[in-house]
Amino acid sequence: MTYDLPQVYKYHVFCCAQQRPPGHPRGSCAAQGAHPLWERLGQKIQTQQLLHVGMAWTGCLGFCSAGPLMVVYPEGIWYRPQTPEDIDEIVQSHFIGGEPVERLIMVLTR
């Protein structure tokens, strides 16, 4: 079966919006200030008409103490933005310019 998809994104961004109760041992991205960052990202995508960027708020991405976290596919790049300016830099450099923002990439180790 095939599906007629209206749009395919060059970048698809998944932003953790997990909210756990205060004092939860794992913490959560929302408790670390994620929501205003994701709102800014969504506004930037919309106002700059970045139709090649899809964005979805998600539940837990699994690295709660490191948040707020977002992952960008297809590259599988994990970002840990902390300020609105970090979001602006990701949008300008990565989503518009095609260059990931190295200083904000979270390196996952095993």
Side-chain angles (χ1 to χ4, degrees):
M1 174 176 253
T2 61
Y3 297 95
D4 184 23
L5 300 175
Q7 184 170 356
V8 176
Y9 303 114
K10 179 176 181 178
Y11 302 112
H12 206 143
V13 186
F14 296 90
C15 304
C16 179
Q18 180 70 45
Q19 175 70 64
R20 291 196 176 88
H24 190 281
R26 289 189 66 193
S28 67
C29 286
Q32 295 182 60
H35 288 175
L37 296 174
W38 307 155
E39 288 170 1
R40 184 178 188 94
L41 178 59
Q43 289 170 352
K44 291 280 184 182
I45 290 169
Q46 184 176 20
T47 59
Q48 295 187 29
Q49 298 181 5
L50 302 179
L51 302 177
H52 66 287
V53 180
M55 177 186 170
W57 289 40
T58 72
C60 184
L61 293 173
F63 305 100
C64 309
S65 63
L69 295 175
M70 58 188 265
V71 60
V72 179
Y73 287 104
E75 299 102 331
I77 293 175
W78 290 76
Y79 282 119
R80 186 178 183 256
Q82 299 295 299
T83 67
E85 292 77 21
D86 290 344
I87 294 296
D88 297 349
E89 187 175 355
I90 291 167
V91 168
Q92 188 62 44
S93 180
H94 194 157
F95 302 151
I96 295 173
E99 293 294 324
V101 181
E102 296 293 329
R103 70 177 189 83
L104 297 173
I105 293 175
M106 188 177 101
V107 179
L108 304 175
T109 61
R110 291 186 178 199

